Amino acid sequence: MKSKKNLVLVGMMGSGKSTIGYLLSKKLKLKFLDIDNLIEKEMNMTIKEIFQEKGEKYFRNLEEKITIKYLNLKNSVISLGGGAFNNQIIRNEVIKNNFSFWLNCSNSVLISRIKKNTKRPIANKLNMIKFEELMNKRSKIYSKANFKINCNKLSKNEIITKIIELYENN
Ligand code: S3P
């Protein structure tokens, strides 16, 4: 089989990278790689435990190493952690050799989703204002992805169809 570029999903916590990535991989018959899960498997610890016991700097180094390793595979749908695209080494690698999609959602959608789950160490520390500040800062970075998908008014199926159209026509 001819090897195909990876589809890489970027975006804020709660934007649906893991859910959409998994469904997309089934539809396209590609492997699905969720980088946060792969980090947890490698360390045998949850992301929350890694932040608590080893600190954020340790997590970011590990995230870089593991993300770069998996970006080298082909024929995969890869969902990045919400902060990974901030890392210039990861970003350059994603942009150079992959199709990247920013799953863009409004702050209110993101906040309502992440409030339901306390597994995210970065989100747990943020109040509404800090979350908006982080989103504003990160939006400039996420916008460097090849394509921006405005997810607010779209169903999961519509998001997937849009991504596949862009992937197949580019
Ligand atoms: C993070 C997002 C998380 C995870 C870690 C840090 C961030 O991934 O990598 O908690 O900095 O935004 P998700 O976007 O999959 O929640």
Side-chain angles (χ1 to χ4, degrees):
M1 185 175 90
K2 187 167 169 278
S3 84
K4 287 194 189 152
K5 282 188 183 180
N6 299 318
L7 291 91
V8 178
L9 304 183
V10 308
M12 200 63 168
M13 302 163 258
S15 57
K17 300 179 298 286
S18 301
T19 309
I20 299 293
Y22 172 76
L23 296 171
L24 201 53
S25 71
K26 290 281 155 236
K27 194 124 199 184
L28 289 169
K29 300 195 169 54
L30 298 175
K31 270 192 304 288
F32 176 53
L33 304 170
D34 184 312
I35 300 294
D36 279 346
N37 281 347
L38 293 165
I39 293 174
E40 291 186 330
K41 272 204 193 114
E42 170 129 347
M43 292 296 288
N44 203 17
M45 289 167 91
T46 64
I47 301 283
K48 193 172 177 179
E49 286 165 346
I50 302 173
F51 268 75
Q52 277 167 350
E53 292 173 31
K54 310 244 177 214
E56 180 167 358
K57 191 164 189 298
Y58 181 96
F59 171 78
R60 295 298 174 195
N61 286 335
L62 189 63
E63 178 177 55
E64 178 182 306
K65 193 181 95 193
I66 294 183
T67 307
I68 296 293
K69 173 169 131 190
Y70 285 102
L71 283 172
N72 284 322
L73 301 180
K74 292 284 166 276
N75 303 312
S76 304
V77 177
I78 303 179
S79 99
L80 298 192
F85 214 49
N86 251 339
N87 174 316
Q88 200 177 354
I89 296 174
I90 296 179
R91 196 167 63 245
N92 288 347
E93 187 62 31
V94 169
I95 292 169
K96 196 167 74 186
N97 286 320
N98 304 273
F99 282 110
S100 50
F101 300 86
W102 169 23
L103 302 187
N104 181 40
C105 304
S106 67
N107 288 348
S108 58
V109 167
L110 294 171
I111 289 169
S112 79
R113 287 185 190 157
I114 62 183
K115 264 202 314 217
K116 292 186 195 130
N117 167 339
T118 56
K119 288 192 209 144
R120 294 184 172 102
I122 298 277
N124 294 345
K125 291 195 304 208
L126 298 174
N127 60 29
M128 185 92 158
I129 294 175
K130 292 261 177 251
F131 183 86
E132 283 174 5
E133 275 171 20
L134 183 66
M135 181 62 181
N136 286 343
K137 204 165 116 207
R138 285 194 177 171
S139 292
K140 298 194 184 87
I141 306 259
Y142 295 142
S143 68
K144 296 178 195 281
N146 297 124
F147 304 104
K148 173 180 174 183
I149 312 288
N150 287 322
C151 298
N152 277 339
K153 295 195 179 118
L154 302 181
S155 67
K156 289 188 191 107
N157 268 337
E158 287 168 330
I159 297 172
I160 291 164
T161 306
K162 214 170 188 148
I163 294 177
I164 294 177
E165 250 171 51
L166 289 165
Y167 180 62
E168 288 179 346
N169 295 323
N170 284 281

